[in-house]
Amino acid sequence: MHNKDFLHNIGHKVRIMHMNIDKYFNTAWKKVGIEPTRMQCGTLHYLREREEVDVFQKDLEAAFSISGATATNILKIMEKEGLINRIPMEKDARLKKLELTEKGIQYDDVARANVYRLEEGMKKGFTEEELTIFREYLDRMTQNIVDLIEENTK
């Protein structure tokens, strides 16, 4: 059954929430005078959570479901901005290990505080049970979309 009022469509509501999350981060970053993208913040967080292991571009591609070209562009900009270093491996110089710089760690600290504040704000007024069910619904909807994408590519 088609919903004639697209403002009530789930996809539209998710898009509105996504846009508001972007606005939140944009205002939060401007408040402290720096403006990394959300993808840069995600990359910083991913690298920081894995400081004890070697992380390569292919790992980011898999973790964020992005193409090699997209990952290359993100990493080039982050390196130029002094957030990461790409260090060639001794055994194969084509492989470049990704490492956070001190500036990258500082940005990640600010990003983590912003994410925490946003998460707490979004959860306001919900019980833990409601949040658990909501997360399950989101996971199911995400899988449904993945299934649709796979159907489209057959």
Side-chain angles (χ1 to χ4, degrees):
M1 178 187 224
H2 296 289
N3 187 345
K4 293 182 181 175
D5 184 1
F6 80 95
L7 297 177
H8 289 88
N9 289 347
I10 293 170
H12 178 72
K13 294 212 174 272
V14 169
R15 176 76 177 133
I16 295 298
M17 186 162 35
H18 180 264
M19 290 170 55
N20 281 317
I21 289 170
D22 281 346
K23 286 178 188 176
Y24 165 79
F25 281 115
N26 289 338
T27 58
W29 283 116
K30 285 180 183 174
K31 195 173 183 179
V32 293
I34 52 180
E35 296 184 44
T37 66
R38 283 188 41 216
M39 188 63 208
Q40 288 175 334
C41 291
T43 301
L44 294 172
H45 181 79
Y46 183 84
L47 293 174
R48 191 141 179 214
E49 291 293 310
R50 290 156 184 80
E51 284 180 318
E52 303 301 318
V53 298
D54 291 344
V55 177
F56 303 96
Q57 178 174 323
K58 66 177 176 49
D59 300 316
L60 288 180
E61 293 167 16
F64 293 100
S65 297
I66 57 175
S67 70
T70 298
T72 296
N73 289 334
I74 291 164
L75 295 173
K76 279 183 183 177
I77 291 168
M78 290 180 74
E79 188 173 37
K80 183 179 176 185
E81 292 179 357
L83 300 173
I84 63 162
N85 290 317
R86 293 192 289 180
I87 302 161
M89 297 300 288
E90 287 182 26
K91 292 182 180 180
D92 186 350
R94 294 173 299 175
L95 279 178
K96 293 183 174 60
K97 178 177 139 180
L98 305 174
E99 279 189 349
L100 288 175
T101 63
E102 194 57 42
K103 182 178 179 181
I105 291 169
Q106 291 170 353
Y107 274 39
D108 184 57
D109 286 341
V110 175
R112 285 170 187 258
N114 285 332
V115 167
Y116 178 79
R117 185 169 174 241
L118 175 68
E119 282 289 315
E120 291 304 306
M122 287 193 311
K123 294 187 301 188
K124 188 174 159 183
F126 291 93
T127 66
E128 279 304 314
E129 182 180 1
E130 288 172 323
L131 292 169
T132 298
I133 292 168
F134 181 63
R135 287 183 190 101
E136 290 170 2
Y137 289 162
L138 289 174
D139 289 342
R140 286 171 40 197
M141 287 181 180
T142 299
Q143 185 57 55
N144 290 343
I145 294 168
V146 169
D147 293 346
L148 288 170
I149 292 167
E150 288 175 6
E151 286 176 24
N152 284 344
T153 58
K154 289 181 182 176

